[in-house]
Amino acid sequence: MLKTGAVAAILAFCAVSSAAPANNKRQDHKAGSFLYTSPSIVGTATGWAPQSTSDSSDYSSSLSYAHGGSYTTQGADSSATGTAAVATASNTAPPASSTGAAAPATPTGLSKVQQILLSDTRADAVNNVLPDNSDFVFDFNKARKFGPGKGGEVVLANRKAFPALTGTDISMAVTFLGPCGFNTPHVHNRATEFLVVTKGKVVSEMVIENGVGGAKPRDVMNTIEELQATPYFMGSLHTQFNPTCDDVTFIAPLSEEDPGVNTIAQAYFALDDDTIRAVAGNAVEGADIDKFRGLLSTNVALGVEQCLKQCNIPKRK
């Protein structure tokens, strides 16, 4: 039989034990498993802060992208009712809708191309950077500037002009050549071109690389009629000329969203004077180099004298 003092000591010990705070990790003796309190992680512009959610032995999370860099973390509660616990990134960040639509884009100071490249997924890029259907339409007619070349114009839809192309590895040029119009020799640094004539006809030339054709490089020269096509390999020198007195139009898909272009005559005369003279075998006097530079046409020029006479077009002086 317990004495009165022993009973009082046992009661006091039980009172202290029941008042002790619960540990975040506790053991379920009946189930023989450990249950953990899982903190949810909330991303903000300044850092990461843990927030406690309900206990769960089966924790999962999903991130909903918001354009300004805020994130929403959602944890699934394994309680009998199946209620989801949601922690939002900040009081100002809008929650994701039940339809999965992204929050509207906010000003960032970045170009659309930069925003697309920084997006986590293509869905994020489309929802936040290209929200309007009109973002997927490029109008070559409206993009025309009607200059500076006198013989026509090349309109290029690359990713800068048409951000919807970002990540697609494709771009498109549409060239409008007037009578005797001449797209001067050039190369595309990063793309293969596939030219298709849609109106009229053009004379096409391509020099592929050293070794093709023997000692004298081969000039792949053809007349491309309406709805005929020809390829230009990446890095190959090529040019087009309209030999008629009518307007010509051709389209040219390119295998890179940023194909690049290097116009050969302008590039050559951008070299140092001594380099130009050495390459020309000193046939060009130093005093004449600036004169040659001044005579260079823009990339679309009026060409071949015979065509100019046939179409009664005065030669550029």
Side-chain angles (χ1 to χ4, degrees):
M1 189 142 188
L2 296 175
K3 295 183 179 181
T4 303
V7 172
I10 292 172
L11 292 175
F13 174 78
C14 291
V16 172
S17 298
S18 63
N23 197 320
N24 279 340
K25 185 179 76 172
R26 62 185 187 273
Q27 184 174 6
D28 186 344
H29 294 282
K30 293 181 180 180
S33 62
F34 288 95
L35 299 179
Y36 296 87
T37 297
S38 302
S40 64
I41 303 299
V42 178
T44 66
T46 57
W48 298 90
Q51 293 184 354
S52 295
T53 63
S54 61
D55 293 340
S56 173
S57 59
D58 183 17
Y59 179 80
S60 63
S61 64
S62 63
L63 295 180
S64 175
Y65 177 83
H67 186 69
S70 299
Y71 292 84
T72 298
T73 304
Q74 179 171 340
D77 193 333
S78 61
S79 64
T81 60
T83 304
V86 179
T88 57
S90 66
N91 291 332
T92 58
S97 68
S98 59
T99 60
T106 55
T108 64
L110 300 176
S111 70
K112 284 191 174 183
V113 173
Q114 291 169 326
Q115 293 176 60
I116 292 170
L117 292 174
L118 290 172
S119 296
D120 292 333
T121 67
R122 176 54 63 97
D124 292 336
V126 172
N127 289 335
N128 294 292
V129 188
L130 306 170
D132 300 322
N133 289 346
S134 59
D135 290 325
F136 294 88
V137 177
F138 185 86
D139 192 328
F140 285 94
N141 285 313
K142 290 183 179 180
R144 295 189 66 178
K145 297 180 180 178
F146 299 94
K150 295 182 182 297
E153 183 177 9
V154 178
V155 180
L156 176 63
N158 58 11
R159 73 183 188 188
K160 182 176 182 179
F162 190 25
L165 294 179
T166 304
T168 62
D169 290 333
I170 194 170
S171 57
M172 172 81 82
V174 174
T175 300
F176 305 91
L177 288 182
C180 305
F182 181 57
N183 192 10
T184 57
H186 60 280
V187 302
H188 296 296
N189 309 66
R190 294 173 292 278
T192 292
E193 176 181 343
F194 188 60
L195 177 146
V196 182
V197 175
T198 58
K199 178 183 177 183
K201 65 180 180 180
V202 298
V203 175
S204 164
E205 295 183 77
M206 174 177 63
V207 177
I208 299 173
E209 61 179 77
N210 293 349
V212 177
K216 180 182 178 181
R218 177 182 173 186
D219 181 10
V220 181
M221 185 175 184
N222 291 292
T223 298
I224 311 299
E225 304 281 350
E226 189 169 311
L227 295 184
Q228 291 184 338
T230 190
Y232 301 119
F233 301 150
M234 181 188 303
S236 66
L237 177 64
H238 57 280
T239 184
Q240 301 92 22
F241 167 63
N242 175 10
T244 74
C245 300
D246 300 316
D247 290 336
V248 166
T249 304
F250 58 85
I251 64 173
L254 295 134
S255 63
E256 229 289 331
E257 64 209 50
D258 178 25
V261 63
N262 197 1
T263 308
I264 299 304
Q266 285 88 338
Y268 175 68
F269 279 99
L271 296 171
D272 182 77
D273 290 359
D274 289 339
T275 303
I276 294 172
R277 292 180 62 196
V279 172
N282 290 316
V284 179
E285 294 294 332
D288 292 332
I289 291 177
D290 284 339
K291 178 181 178 181
F292 280 108
R293 288 191 177 112
L295 291 175
L296 293 177
S297 301
T298 51
N299 65 311
V300 179
L302 294 174
V304 185
E305 190 169 351
Q306 182 180 357
C307 181
L308 297 177
K309 289 180 180 180
Q310 179 182 343
C311 299
N312 294 317
I313 299 174
K315 190 191 302 187
R316 188 169 74 95
K317 296 180 180 180

